[in-house]
Structure formats: structure tokens, C-alpha cells
Amino acid sequence: MTSTDTFIRAELVSFARDPGDDDLPTPGSLEHYGDGLLWLKEGHIHAVGHYVDIIEQLPSNGQVLDYRGKLIMPGFIDTHVHYVQLDIMASYGRQLLDWLNDYTFPEECRFANHAHAEALSNAFLDEMLRAGTTTAQVFGSSHPGSVDAFFTACQKRQLRMLVGKVLMDRNAPDALMDGATGITDTERLIEDWHGKQRLGYSVTPRFAPTSTKTQMDAAGALLRNDASLWLQTHLAENSGELDWVAELFPGSRDYLSVYEDAGLVGPRSTFAHGIHLDNGMRQRLAERGANIAFCPSSNLFLGSGLFDREAAKEIGMSFTYASDIGAGTDLSGFATLKSAYQVGQLRGQPLTAWQGFYGLTHGNAKALSLAHHIGQLAPSYEADFVVIDPHATSLLERRIQHCTTLGERLFALMMLADDRAIYETWAGGTRQHQRD
């Protein structure tokens, strides 16, 4: 045993693969240990299994953290979130384009101040970890300092994070447009941060209306030159947005083709929302391996529409689960799944707890090309996980007492849990958050 070995006894739940859409997970997809042991070594999971099977392997002086009565799952993953919008959450909900002009753009102007960017980076990470999220794909502002500040805060906490500076050179306040410097700033940020420790860079044009064709083509060139980079932007969130794109790009076949023509659609590309897509666009996204970030609480808040999960599945288009703070109303993965369930009900597409928690962990990791590092409780994986207290509130405890199966308990957590149910959050084998 080394000084970095940690042993935790608790109930363990993880998914080795997609559990399917039936009421019970497909055989071999669910890994569940009612009385399990998690053995951590040097920031990774060394062993996982039944307590009685592993306890015999532990050194005689091994100290076990006894979390019986609690549930451990892989850390939650958020595929689309704006850290720079933390302070405008719960602003009166207009629709998308009004939201950008009235709230988002004025707020993001504040990130020219590096001290402000540092303070918000740490505040956001505190909130994210308190909600049980250990990895996210994050928008900064158009100021390169907003990304330097965020990466610095993530590096100090040894988090696995994807972040990018927003690219926008038109149709925005002068204070936010990056003009000739946007790509050169992005190149410098990639050189300074991409692939350092657990950090990755996501090239980030805000969306087609705020980038010229020249800027988007240059962003595509960055991706062609380095296949290890990620890409994040927005697509087909709002009907008014679609009309605007059609006016700005009259020669393009549709909204998606604007990004295709720039070389922005690939297996490491995340397009937030994707509500107003036709099957042709879904098919093209599927063929290129891109994913749509389903942001249910944001879509409901801004009245953008209801994402069609079944259409995506029928075509084989990958989709992920995301909070989309600040139009989203909660950083909690539980809340994201609750809203996703509600959207599904309105579409006649029920979401099981198996699908929800698989999506929030292994599914999101797979879509982000991170499934070899995070998303499961398995040997050699990075030790990013959450300790969930199913008795965190009196109401949750009452409901859990009436559950007779694991599926019922997970569904109750999906509907009733919030950040109070996150007892601890661990990332890189270190306890990063502990509930007061």
C-alpha cells in the first residue's frame, strides 16, 4: 500500500455500456455492487467489486472509509455549459435572441477584467462540484483571459475539463467581437493549455450568426491541423435563429451545412440543442459522429422547443445531456435528467433511470471521446465519482423507503434529488467537495 491508496465501502453503480430502453437494463450493461469496495491508487481506480471479494486483498493497515447507506456513481458529465453566465441564471426568460442581447452579451463584457474571470471561475467550479459534476465542456467569453483564468482554476484542482474561448467577429457588441485576434488568441490558448494534465481545448465559435465565414473557415483549419481538439457551438435552438441564419447564409443548403462547409462537423463536435432539425441533418450528424447536447431545462426556460430523442435514436445520431447554464436553471445532473424526463413525457418518449444515469456518465464520456478515461467505476479509470446520500432530505428518504428495486431508487433520485444529495465529490482521486 502507498500513501495514496484509499478504500471506500459503499453501494456502487456504473454502466459498462448502453442499457437499452426497456424497463430493465440489457444483460451486462449494469455493474452493481450492493456492498462494494472502491480501491483508489494514484488518482485512478485500482480495483472495484464486492466488499467480501476485495477485502482479503487489502493490506492489514488499510483504512476503509465506511459509506454504507450511500451510493457511489461515476462523476456526472456536462457537455454544454457557459461558466461566464453563472450570474445571469434565473433572469426573466425571454426567447433566445432577446436573451443574448439583454443578458448574455452585457454580462460577458465583464470578463475583460481578469480578476472577475478568476473569481467566477472558482465560484463556478465550487457550484459544479457541489452538484456532483466532475467534467464539463465549457464556454468562456470572447476574452482569452476568461479561458486562462478557468484553465488555471481547473489545473489547481486537477480536474478533467474541456474549455474554449468564444469566437465572434460580427453581430455583437464591439466590446465582445474579437476580429483579427480571435484565431491567433485561440492558437495561443491551445499551445498553452491543450493536453496539459487533464485539460483539453474545445474550439468555440458561438454560433453561425456571430462568426463570419472567414472566421469559421479558420476554426475548421485548426481542427484539421490537430485532430485531438474538440469543437463546440450551437445549432437549431430557436426558430428565429434558423430564419436569421438563412438570411446570413443564403447560399447554404441549411443551418448544418454552414458548419459542414467550414469543416466543423466531426466525431469531437458538440452542437448544443439541435431541436429544429430534419432527418437529413440528423443523418449527416450521425455519419460524421457528431453529438447534439440536449439541454432540457434551458430549452424549457427559453421556450425553444422539445428535443426529439426518438428521432435521434432511430437514425443513430449521438446526443448527450447538458445543463446549458445560464439559460439552464440548475447545474445539478439530477435536475437535467428530471427536465429530460419531462420533455420526453411531452413527446411520448419516456426516459428510464437506466438511460438517464448512463447518459450522464458513460454515455456523455463516450460522446466526448473520453470514455477511456472517465464515465465508469472500473480499474485504470480516473477516480472521478460522486457519493450520493439517498437520505439527504426527509422527502427523499420517505420515498426511498418505499422503493423495492434499484431502478425505483434511481428514478426517485432523478426526480427528487438535488445538490443536497451529493455527500461528496471526488476528482482525480481527491475529495473535492464534502457536504456541510
mmCIF file of all heavy atoms in Angstrom, residues 35-57:
data_model
loop_
_atom_site.group_PDB
_atom_site.id
_atom_site.type_symbol
_atom_site.label_atom_id
_atom_site.label_comp_id
_atom_site.label_asym_id
_atom_site.label_seq_id
_atom_site.Cartn_x
_atom_site.Cartn_y
_atom_site.Cartn_z
ATOM 1 N N ASP A 35 -22.938 -4.130 -1.738
ATOM 2 C CA ASP A 35 -21.940 -3.838 -0.714
ATOM 3 C C ASP A 35 -20.596 -3.910 -1.420
ATOM 4 O O ASP A 35 -19.966 -4.967 -1.506
ATOM 5 C CB ASP A 35 -22.015 -4.853 0.431
ATOM 6 C CG ASP A 35 -21.053 -4.528 1.573
ATOM 7 O OD1 ASP A 35 -20.449 -3.434 1.554
ATOM 8 O OD2 ASP A 35 -20.899 -5.384 2.467
ATOM 9 N N GLY A 36 -20.162 -2.803 -1.978
ATOM 10 C CA GLY A 36 -18.978 -2.788 -2.820
ATOM 11 C C GLY A 36 -17.790 -2.114 -2.166
ATOM 12 O O GLY A 36 -17.903 -1.473 -1.117
ATOM 13 N N LEU A 37 -16.652 -2.263 -2.821
ATOM 14 C CA LEU A 37 -15.423 -1.604 -2.356
ATOM 15 C C LEU A 37 -14.728 -0.975 -3.555
ATOM 16 O O LEU A 37 -14.526 -1.612 -4.591
ATOM 17 C CB LEU A 37 -14.487 -2.590 -1.678
ATOM 18 C CG LEU A 37 -13.283 -1.928 -0.979
ATOM 19 C CD1 LEU A 37 -13.742 -1.175 0.268
ATOM 20 C CD2 LEU A 37 -12.228 -2.965 -0.603
ATOM 21 N N LEU A 38 -14.369 0.278 -3.386
ATOM 22 C CA LEU A 38 -13.643 1.035 -4.393
ATOM 23 C C LEU A 38 -12.231 1.276 -3.863
ATOM 24 O O LEU A 38 -12.053 1.864 -2.801
ATOM 25 C CB LEU A 38 -14.370 2.368 -4.624
ATOM 26 C CG LEU A 38 -14.152 3.143 -5.911
ATOM 27 C CD1 LEU A 38 -14.518 2.321 -7.141
ATOM 28 C CD2 LEU A 38 -14.961 4.439 -5.872
ATOM 29 N N TRP A 39 -11.236 0.797 -4.602
ATOM 30 C CA TRP A 39 -9.833 0.921 -4.193
ATOM 31 C C TRP A 39 -9.185 1.937 -5.120
ATOM 32 O O TRP A 39 -9.127 1.750 -6.333
ATOM 33 C CB TRP A 39 -9.162 -0.433 -4.299
ATOM 34 C CG TRP A 39 -7.718 -0.509 -3.868
ATOM 35 C CD1 TRP A 39 -6.848 0.510 -3.665
ATOM 36 C CD2 TRP A 39 -6.985 -1.708 -3.602
ATOM 37 N NE1 TRP A 39 -5.624 0.053 -3.288
ATOM 38 C CE2 TRP A 39 -5.669 -1.318 -3.240
ATOM 39 C CE3 TRP A 39 -7.300 -3.062 -3.643
ATOM 40 C CZ2 TRP A 39 -4.674 -2.253 -2.916
ATOM 41 C CZ3 TRP A 39 -6.309 -3.986 -3.311
ATOM 42 C CH2 TRP A 39 -5.020 -3.591 -2.955
ATOM 43 N N LEU A 40 -8.721 3.056 -4.547
ATOM 44 C CA LEU A 40 -8.107 4.134 -5.312
ATOM 45 C C LEU A 40 -6.594 4.133 -5.106
ATOM 46 O O LEU A 40 -6.115 3.939 -3.985
ATOM 47 C CB LEU A 40 -8.660 5.500 -4.872
ATOM 48 C CG LEU A 40 -10.175 5.639 -4.701
ATOM 49 C CD1 LEU A 40 -10.526 7.060 -4.303
ATOM 50 C CD2 LEU A 40 -10.906 5.222 -5.966
ATOM 51 N N LYS A 41 -5.869 4.375 -6.204
ATOM 52 C CA LYS A 41 -4.413 4.452 -6.136
ATOM 53 C C LYS A 41 -3.921 5.460 -7.161
ATOM 54 O O LYS A 41 -4.235 5.352 -8.348
ATOM 55 C CB LYS A 41 -3.803 3.076 -6.411
ATOM 56 C CG LYS A 41 -2.275 3.017 -6.298
ATOM 57 C CD LYS A 41 -1.731 1.692 -6.821
ATOM 58 C CE LYS A 41 -2.069 0.525 -5.927
ATOM 59 N NZ LYS A 41 -1.260 0.508 -4.680
ATOM 60 N N GLU A 42 -3.171 6.437 -6.684
ATOM 61 C CA GLU A 42 -2.528 7.420 -7.552
ATOM 62 C C GLU A 42 -3.505 8.080 -8.523
ATOM 63 O O GLU A 42 -3.244 8.220 -9.717
ATOM 64 C CB GLU A 42 -1.363 6.777 -8.312
ATOM 65 C CG GLU A 42 -0.271 6.280 -7.380
ATOM 66 C CD GLU A 42 0.863 5.581 -8.118
ATOM 67 O OE1 GLU A 42 0.700 5.335 -9.337
ATOM 68 O OE2 GLU A 42 1.873 5.270 -7.481
ATOM 69 N N GLY A 43 -4.660 8.471 -7.998
ATOM 70 C CA GLY A 43 -5.633 9.215 -8.782
ATOM 71 C C GLY A 43 -6.499 8.379 -9.691
ATOM 72 O O GLY A 43 -7.310 8.923 -10.442
ATOM 73 N N HIS A 44 -6.337 7.057 -9.658
ATOM 74 C CA HIS A 44 -7.103 6.158 -10.509
ATOM 75 C C HIS A 44 -7.797 5.091 -9.671
ATOM 76 O O HIS A 44 -7.502 4.918 -8.485
ATOM 77 C CB HIS A 44 -6.187 5.488 -11.546
ATOM 78 C CG HIS A 44 -5.707 6.416 -12.613
ATOM 79 N ND1 HIS A 44 -4.763 7.402 -12.357
ATOM 80 C CD2 HIS A 44 -6.027 6.526 -13.935
ATOM 81 C CE1 HIS A 44 -4.525 8.076 -13.476
ATOM 82 N NE2 HIS A 44 -5.279 7.566 -14.443
ATOM 83 N N ILE A 45 -8.724 4.391 -10.300
ATOM 84 C CA ILE A 45 -9.372 3.255 -9.647
ATOM 85 C C ILE A 45 -8.482 2.034 -9.858
ATOM 86 O O ILE A 45 -8.181 1.656 -10.999
ATOM 87 C CB ILE A 45 -10.776 3.025 -10.238
ATOM 88 C CG1 ILE A 45 -11.673 4.247 -9.946
ATOM 89 C CG2 ILE A 45 -11.395 1.756 -9.658
ATOM 90 C CD1 ILE A 45 -13.009 4.205 -10.662
ATOM 91 N N HIS A 46 -8.048 1.456 -8.768
ATOM 92 C CA HIS A 46 -7.165 0.279 -8.822
ATOM 93 C C HIS A 46 -7.980 -1.013 -8.881
ATOM 94 O O HIS A 46 -7.632 -1.946 -9.620
ATOM 95 C CB HIS A 46 -6.246 0.265 -7.602
ATOM 96 C CG HIS A 46 -5.338 -0.919 -7.539
ATOM 97 N ND1 HIS A 46 -4.330 -1.135 -8.451
ATOM 98 C CD2 HIS A 46 -5.305 -1.978 -6.684
ATOM 99 C CE1 HIS A 46 -3.699 -2.261 -8.162
ATOM 100 N NE2 HIS A 46 -4.267 -2.797 -7.100
ATOM 101 N N ALA A 47 -9.059 -1.068 -8.125
ATOM 102 C CA ALA A 47 -9.912 -2.251 -8.109
ATOM 103 C C ALA A 47 -11.309 -1.843 -7.682
ATOM 104 O O ALA A 47 -11.498 -0.863 -6.957
ATOM 105 C CB ALA A 47 -9.362 -3.318 -7.168
ATOM 106 N N VAL A 48 -12.299 -2.601 -8.142
ATOM 107 C CA VAL A 48 -13.694 -2.366 -7.770
ATOM 108 C C VAL A 48 -14.408 -3.709 -7.766
ATOM 109 O O VAL A 48 -14.141 -4.575 -8.602
ATOM 110 C CB VAL A 48 -14.366 -1.377 -8.753
ATOM 111 C CG1 VAL A 48 -14.306 -1.891 -10.174
ATOM 112 C CG2 VAL A 48 -15.805 -1.089 -8.362
ATOM 113 N N GLY A 49 -15.280 -3.903 -6.787
ATOM 114 C CA GLY A 49 -16.003 -5.165 -6.731
ATOM 115 C C GLY A 49 -16.761 -5.319 -5.439
ATOM 116 O O GLY A 49 -16.981 -4.334 -4.706
ATOM 117 N N HIS A 50 -17.183 -6.546 -5.152
ATOM 118 C CA HIS A 50 -17.874 -6.831 -3.898
ATOM 119 C C HIS A 50 -16.894 -6.684 -2.735
ATOM 120 O O HIS A 50 -15.744 -7.135 -2.814
ATOM 121 C CB HIS A 50 -18.458 -8.239 -3.914
ATOM 122 C CG HIS A 50 -19.527 -8.442 -4.936
ATOM 123 N ND1 HIS A 50 -20.777 -7.866 -4.824
ATOM 124 C CD2 HIS A 50 -19.544 -9.140 -6.109
ATOM 125 C CE1 HIS A 50 -21.515 -8.212 -5.865
ATOM 126 N NE2 HIS A 50 -20.792 -8.985 -6.664
ATOM 127 N N TYR A 51 -17.365 -6.115 -1.665
ATOM 128 C CA TYR A 51 -16.514 -5.897 -0.486
ATOM 129 C C TYR A 51 -15.879 -7.204 -0.013
ATOM 130 O O TYR A 51 -14.673 -7.256 0.249
ATOM 131 C CB TYR A 51 -17.354 -5.250 0.624
ATOM 132 C CG TYR A 51 -16.613 -5.095 1.931
ATOM 133 C CD1 TYR A 51 -15.716 -4.049 2.118
ATOM 134 C CD2 TYR A 51 -16.821 -5.988 2.993
ATOM 135 C CE1 TYR A 51 -15.037 -3.900 3.319
ATOM 136 C CE2 TYR A 51 -16.153 -5.846 4.192
ATOM 137 C CZ TYR A 51 -15.261 -4.802 4.349
ATOM 138 O OH TYR A 51 -14.587 -4.666 5.534
ATOM 139 N N VAL A 52 -16.672 -8.259 0.055
ATOM 140 C CA VAL A 52 -16.147 -9.528 0.595
ATOM 141 C C VAL A 52 -15.074 -10.109 -0.316
ATOM 142 O O VAL A 52 -14.196 -10.856 0.157
ATOM 143 C CB VAL A 52 -17.283 -10.558 0.801
ATOM 144 C CG1 VAL A 52 -18.238 -10.079 1.883
ATOM 145 C CG2 VAL A 52 -18.032 -10.825 -0.504
ATOM 146 N N ASP A 53 -15.093 -9.787 -1.587
ATOM 147 C CA ASP A 53 -14.093 -10.320 -2.506
ATOM 148 C C ASP A 53 -12.779 -9.555 -2.444
ATOM 149 O O ASP A 53 -11.703 -10.136 -2.644
ATOM 150 C CB ASP A 53 -14.623 -10.290 -3.940
ATOM 151 C CG ASP A 53 -15.804 -11.224 -4.157
ATOM 152 O OD1 ASP A 53 -15.948 -12.184 -3.369
ATOM 153 O OD2 ASP A 53 -16.583 -10.980 -5.107
ATOM 154 N N ILE A 54 -12.860 -8.251 -2.209
ATOM 155 C CA ILE A 54 -11.656 -7.424 -2.273
ATOM 156 C C ILE A 54 -11.001 -7.243 -0.905
ATOM 157 O O ILE A 54 -9.785 -7.063 -0.818
ATOM 158 C CB ILE A 54 -11.991 -6.042 -2.893
ATOM 159 C CG1 ILE A 54 -12.513 -6.231 -4.321
ATOM 160 C CG2 ILE A 54 -10.774 -5.134 -2.914
ATOM 161 C CD1 ILE A 54 -12.843 -4.948 -5.030
ATOM 162 N N ILE A 55 -11.775 -7.314 0.154
ATOM 163 C CA ILE A 55 -11.238 -7.011 1.478
ATOM 164 C C ILE A 55 -10.047 -7.903 1.821
ATOM 165 O O ILE A 55 -9.109 -7.480 2.497
ATOM 166 C CB ILE A 55 -12.346 -7.118 2.566
ATOM 167 C CG1 ILE A 55 -11.868 -6.531 3.893
ATOM 168 C CG2 ILE A 55 -12.828 -8.546 2.707
ATOM 169 C CD1 ILE A 55 -11.561 -5.064 3.847
ATOM 170 N N GLU A 56 -10.064 -9.147 1.302
ATOM 171 C CA GLU A 56 -8.959 -10.057 1.587
ATOM 172 C C GLU A 56 -7.663 -9.613 0.928
ATOM 173 O O GLU A 56 -6.571 -10.017 1.334
ATOM 174 C CB GLU A 56 -9.320 -11.475 1.119
ATOM 175 C CG GLU A 56 -10.553 -12.063 1.791
ATOM 176 C CD GLU A 56 -10.378 -12.200 3.302
ATOM 177 O OE1 GLU A 56 -9.242 -12.456 3.734
ATOM 178 O OE2 GLU A 56 -11.369 -12.026 4.027
ATOM 179 N N GLN A 57 -7.768 -8.781 -0.115
ATOM 180 C CA GLN A 57 -6.572 -8.325 -0.830
ATOM 181 C C GLN A 57 -5.930 -7.107 -0.182
ATOM 182 O O GLN A 57 -4.794 -6.758 -0.514
ATOM 183 C CB GLN A 57 -6.935 -7.961 -2.275
ATOM 184 C CG GLN A 57 -7.634 -9.056 -3.063
ATOM 185 C CD GLN A 57 -8.098 -8.550 -4.415
ATOM 186 O OE1 GLN A 57 -7.489 -7.667 -5.019
ATOM 187 N NE2 GLN A 57 -9.219 -9.101 -4.894
#
